Amino acid sequence: MSGLREQQKEMRKQAISQAAVALFASQGYQDTTIEQIAREAGVSVPTVFKYFGSKQEIVLEMLNQEDPSSLSETCERMLDFADPLDALCHLEQMLIDHALKELPASIWREVLPAILSGGSNTFSERYREMNERLLAEISGLLRKLQAAGKLRADLDVELAAYLLNDYSHLQLLRLTSQETMDMEAHRYHVRRTSGLVLRGMLA
């Protein structure tokens, strides 16, 4: 009986989060209320609060559902690129694809500024904690490229991973701020910028 009860709870939680994301995408994150989410999910407002303390927690739950191993497996393909620039562009595209699989562009457009503000709000802090997992994935991948002789032996891997992750968030903000996402222009810009970072500015 307890197993069935747990299954019902999980189904209710999923129904609430799915209803919330649908509303966030159709009418905006800021304009969506807990009451609307409850009505859309077919539950009471107290039931929503039983599972989620706020709209922010619903967004964090959706971000936490994505399996990090799927990104890790995809990123392993970077090792097959002969040109390190191709590998970096591939990584950035994987990060963007991963983010858009987690949440629709319209939701990222509203929540990213709060995340990137670097403030001490709970939402931003919780997201940064979750993002540590992604940073670890990027660092591990860069170490493999380093071991394969495709990156400098003295490269500060942690710093490079931080910069790549930060840059990807900035590109995600720019991309999702467009009315219609221009992926071709995005990839062109990323390649030019990544080339500059990779090859440096010294004569």
Side-chain angles (χ1 to χ4, degrees), residues 39-95:
R39 187 164 54 250
E40 184 74 14
V43 300
S44 66
V45 170
T47 298
V48 174
F49 281 116
K50 178 181 177 181
Y51 292 96
F52 301 101
S54 65
K55 294 189 296 181
Q56 294 174 346
E57 285 192 14
I58 297 175
V59 171
L60 291 169
E61 172 72 14
M62 296 307 294
L63 292 174
N64 208 30
Q65 283 183 4
E66 185 67 19
D67 181 8
S69 64
S70 63
L71 179 63
S72 179
E73 291 166 7
T74 304
C75 285
E76 287 291 337
R77 299 174 195 165
M78 281 182 63
L79 299 172
D80 297 331
F81 290 102
D83 187 344
L85 178 56
D86 289 335
L88 286 182
C89 291
H90 177 74
L91 172 60
E92 199 279 336
Q93 190 58 49
M94 289 304 99
L95 293 175

Side-chain angles (χ1 to χ4, degrees), residues 79-120:
L79 299 172
D80 297 331
F81 290 102
D83 187 344
L85 178 56
D86 289 335
L88 286 182
C89 291
H90 177 74
L91 172 60
E92 199 279 336
Q93 190 58 49
M94 289 304 99
L95 293 175
I96 292 292
D97 290 347
H98 185 71
L100 293 176
K101 185 178 178 182
E102 291 176 317
L103 289 175
S106 60
I107 302 178
W108 279 116
R109 188 182 303 134
E110 289 195 73
V111 302
L112 259 180
I115 291 171
L116 298 178
S117 67
S120 58

Side-chain angles (χ1 to χ4, degrees), residues 7-18:
Q7 187 177 10
Q8 290 173 336
K9 286 182 179 179
E10 185 58 33
M11 289 174 63
R12 196 172 296 122
K13 185 178 182 181
Q14 286 288 334
I16 293 169
S17 61
Q18 288 171 6

